[in-house]
Amino acid sequence: VRLIFIPTHPTDVMARWVGRLGLVPHKAAIIEYFTQHERVKQFAFSKGGAEAAFAHVQHHLEINPTHLVGGNDLQSAYNEGDRSPMWDLLEGVPGLAGILPYVVAIYGVVAWIVLERPGIGPLRVKNGTGYRQGCVLAALLFCLVLHVTLLDVAARNPSLYISAFVDDTKFLGDVATVPTALGTHAGLYALMTRG
C-alpha cells in the first residue's frame, strides 16, 4: 500500500517552509539587530521571546524601583501598516540582504484593488498595506518598521528604556519620561506606517 499525502494548500505550506529555511541562516543577525541597542530591546526573535521581554522589564524595575512602566499594544498593527518603509530598512540591516529575493517574491508587487460602487464611485484599496497573517516574514518585516520608531523615541528620551515583543511595547523610565515617550511613539509610528 502506497500512501500519498497532498497538502490542502500547497502554496501556503511551501511558502512557509521556504520562508523558514530562508531565515535560518540569518537568525543570529536578526537577533543581534533587534537586541544590540543598550536601551531598546525587541525580543520577538529571541529564544523565549515573550518571557525574555517580561524578564527584561522585571529586572529593570528591580534595579530602578522608582521607574514606571507604560505599555503600548498596537491594535490592528499587522493589517494597517504601510509596507513601503521596509525595503530600505531591509537592505540596511547587516546580514539580511540574503532574504531580499524571497521578500520581493512575497511582498514585492504593490497594486490597487478597485471595487466599483454604483452611484458613489470606486473604492481603491492599496495592497501594499499590512503584513500577511501566518507569513513567516510578517513579524520580521513589521518589527523592522516598528524598531526604527522605538530607536527614535529612545534617542529623544535619553533616560528611557524600551522592551518589546513584536507590537507589545513597554516603556520604562521616570514619571516625566514615560508619558512623553508613549505620545511620541504613537505619533512617530503613525507617521512611519500611515504617512
Side-chain angles (χ1 to χ4, degrees):
V1 174
R2 202 171 141 202
L3 297 175
I4 299 173
F5 293 96
I6 300 172
T8 56
H9 300 285
T11 56
D12 289 346
V13 171
M14 291 302 289
R16 288 183 181 140
W17 182 72
V18 169
R20 285 188 189 104
L21 286 178
L23 290 178
V24 167
H26 307 285
K27 186 157 176 98
I30 292 168
I31 293 169
E32 173 68 19
Y33 177 75
F34 286 113
T35 59
Q36 70 184 344
H37 192 277
E38 181 182 350
R39 295 182 295 115
V40 179
K41 307 291 183 192
Q42 171 56 267
F43 292 101
F45 310 98
S46 301
K47 186 172 183 168
E51 293 80 10
F54 178 78
H56 183 252
V57 170
Q58 190 174 25
H59 179 72
H60 179 88
L61 293 175
E62 287 171 2
I63 295 170
N64 303 283
T66 61
H67 278 188
L68 303 175
V69 178
N72 185 2
D73 191 355
L74 302 168
Q75 294 182 357
S76 299
Y78 270 38
N79 299 327
E80 296 177 359
D82 179 2
R83 294 192 309 256
S84 57
M86 76 181 185
W87 298 108
D88 290 336
L89 298 170
L90 193 57
E91 289 179 335
V93 177
L96 287 187
I99 68 167
L100 195 53
Y102 181 65
V103 176
V104 169
I106 302 297
Y107 288 99
V109 178
V110 176
W112 288 90
I113 300 166
V114 180
L115 304 171
E116 292 298 330
R117 301 179 301 174
I120 58 173
L123 171 65
R124 290 178 171 81
V125 179
K126 183 179 176 186
N127 80 346
T129 301
Y131 302 90
R132 296 181 178 145
Q133 297 294 330
C135 175
V136 296
L137 295 172
L140 172 64
L141 301 175
F142 171 78
C143 287
L144 279 173
V145 174
L146 177 65
H147 200 64
V148 172
T149 64
L150 298 179
L151 292 171
D152 196 351
V153 171
R156 294 168 188 243
N157 298 280
S159 63
L160 182 72
Y161 291 80
I162 301 172
S163 180
F165 180 75
V166 191
D167 66 332
D168 185 8
T169 308
K170 305 295 186 225
F171 298 90
L172 307 136
D174 61 40
V175 71
T177 304
V178 171
T180 301
L182 284 164
T184 302
H185 180 253
L188 290 173
Y189 179 76
L191 285 172
M192 177 68 112
T193 60
R194 296 189 180 104

